[in-house]
Amino acid sequence: MEKSDKIYVAGHRGLVGSAIVRNLKVKGYDNVIGRTHKELDLTDQAVVRAFFEEERPDVVVLAAAKVGGINANNTSPADFAYENMQIQCNVIESCHRFQVKKLLFLGSTCIYPRMAPQPIPEDALLTGPLEETNEAYAIAKIAGLEMCKFYKRQYGDHFISCMPTNLYGPYDNYDLQGSHVMPAMIRKFHEAKVDNAPVVELWGTGTPLREFLYVDDMADACVFLLEHYDGEQHVNIGTGKEVTIKELAKIVKRTVGYQGEIIWNQDMPDGTPRKLTNVDKLHGLGWTHRVELEEGVGLAYRWFKENVKDARM
């Protein structure tokens, strides 16, 4: 990439996209553009093509997606599959049609089989059944990264993909009906502290193991890949470290300063028992994360407190 390149970040106001925009600007990429959903409906093929024809971006980061936690994925699987595949097909095809120099497609580690080997290497993709609680989203993301591979293979397009692990940080989604585990915990413990509630209820058994990456670290890795990587295989982005959900709850509770009790609703699903990425490929390219979990939770909670009135809730 060149500093003068016009870079379109799809999903520039979300958790992922906003972090990538911040990182690009810090590194001197000043010609960064974005569009809200009202300004550009990525599910509309004709509208997307018209946008690309007019703007002619040099580089595209596809961070826009319909996302949500276990509850959202369980109750709206058709919506997750359909809308995400529409977005991906429209943007990827337009990147090819209008000769974008480079495209970075962001997936999710939910693409991997439920019982994938741990830590999960990139080549574990499509080697077993998916986790049912987010199967629709995973299938859509698999289709997107495979499309990037096929366009690269058939046309020589410089389309690359990365698979970030569980992310958290500024501009996360704190809506309890659709949020992921970290923002849900931050909101629940914060509100319980404010209301002097004696108990906070969390879902599942607390035993699953998860890996968490601060979103600004993820953004730094994405820009690093845009600058240094052009391979066909997708690249895992993570820390290579894991905690149980119970351990995470203790960290968030301590960070928030909540003094009450935690009860676990074991009638609710746990999801995949373990999901840890193998980040040897990324480390071999020369990138490692900087923000450790406790520091990151503190940063995320500080942002939430300062922006609670404007946070997605």
Side-chain angles (χ1 to χ4, degrees), residues 102-273:
K102 198 158 192 179
L103 162 68
L104 173 63
F105 174 80
L106 283 92
S108 164
T109 49
C110 71
I111 64 166
Y112 291 120
R114 173 180 169 82
M115 301 307 292
Q118 302 288 330
I120 309 171
E122 284 86 357
D123 59 11
L125 182 67
L126 298 173
T127 59
L130 299 167
E131 162 60 37
E132 289 185 6
T133 56
N134 55 21
E135 183 179 20
Y137 181 71
I139 287 173
K141 284 297 181 180
I142 291 169
L145 73 91
E146 291 293 281
M147 280 184 67
C148 289
K149 181 176 73 177
F150 297 146
Y151 271 86
K152 184 178 184 65
R153 190 175 293 176
Q154 182 173 344
Y155 298 109
D157 291 321
H158 294 287
F159 295 174
I160 62 173
S161 300
C162 63
M163 298 298 115
T165 190
N166 299 295
L167 303 171
Y168 66 99
Y171 300 97
D172 210 338
N173 177 13
Y174 291 88
D175 178 358
L176 296 180
Q177 297 303 310
S179 62
H180 290 100
V181 61
M182 177 81 80
M185 283 188 183
I186 288 174
R187 179 177 173 181
K188 284 186 174 183
F189 283 120
H190 175 79
E191 292 182 347
K193 177 184 176 182
V194 170
D195 297 338
N196 292 313
V199 170
V200 167
E201 179 184 294
L202 300 177
W203 281 17
T205 64
T207 59
L209 289 157
R210 290 291 183 273
E211 175 186 18
F212 295 93
L213 178 68
Y214 190 63
V215 72
D216 285 301
D217 270 352
M218 177 280 312
D220 192 65
C222 286
V223 176
F224 175 88
L225 291 173
L226 282 168
E227 293 174 330
H228 300 289
Y229 184 70
D230 198 34
E232 184 176 280
Q233 188 180 52
H234 61 277
V235 180
N236 289 339
I237 299 178
T239 64
K241 301 178 180 181
E242 61 189 345
V243 294
T244 66
I245 297 300
K246 279 188 177 180
E247 290 169 333
L248 175 66
K250 290 178 182 177
I251 293 171
V252 177
K253 178 184 175 183
R254 182 168 62 249
T255 300
V256 171
Y258 175 65
Q259 300 298 318
E261 299 297 320
I262 300 172
I263 59 171
W264 296 90
N265 184 348
Q266 299 189 26
D267 292 330
M268 303 306 291
D270 272 333
T272 305

Side-chain angles (χ1 to χ4, degrees), residues 12 21 49 70 76 90-91 133 136 146 152 163 256 276 307:
H12 72 291
V21 170
R49 286 184 180 177
I70 290 176
S76 306
N90 292 340
V91 174
T133 56
E146 291 293 281
K152 184 178 184 65
M163 298 298 115
V256 171
L276 176 67
N307 297 273

Side-chain angles (χ1 to χ4, degrees), residues 300-311:
Y301 182 52
R302 184 171 66 188
W303 183 91
F304 176 77
K305 286 192 297 181
E306 292 173 352
N307 297 273
V308 66
K309 292 182 179 179
D310 299 317

Side-chain angles (χ1 to χ4, degrees), residues 76-119:
S76 306
D79 294 343
F80 274 85
Y82 182 61
E83 290 184 33
N84 281 303
M85 284 193 279
Q86 280 184 305
I87 291 168
Q88 295 161 188
C89 287
N90 292 340
V91 174
I92 292 170
E93 190 272 341
S94 285
C95 285
H96 167 71
R97 178 181 291 260
F98 295 99
Q99 299 180 321
V100 165
K101 291 198 303 186
K102 198 158 192 179
L103 162 68
L104 173 63
F105 174 80
L106 283 92
S108 164
T109 49
C110 71
I111 64 166
Y112 291 120
R114 173 180 169 82
M115 301 307 292
Q118 302 288 330

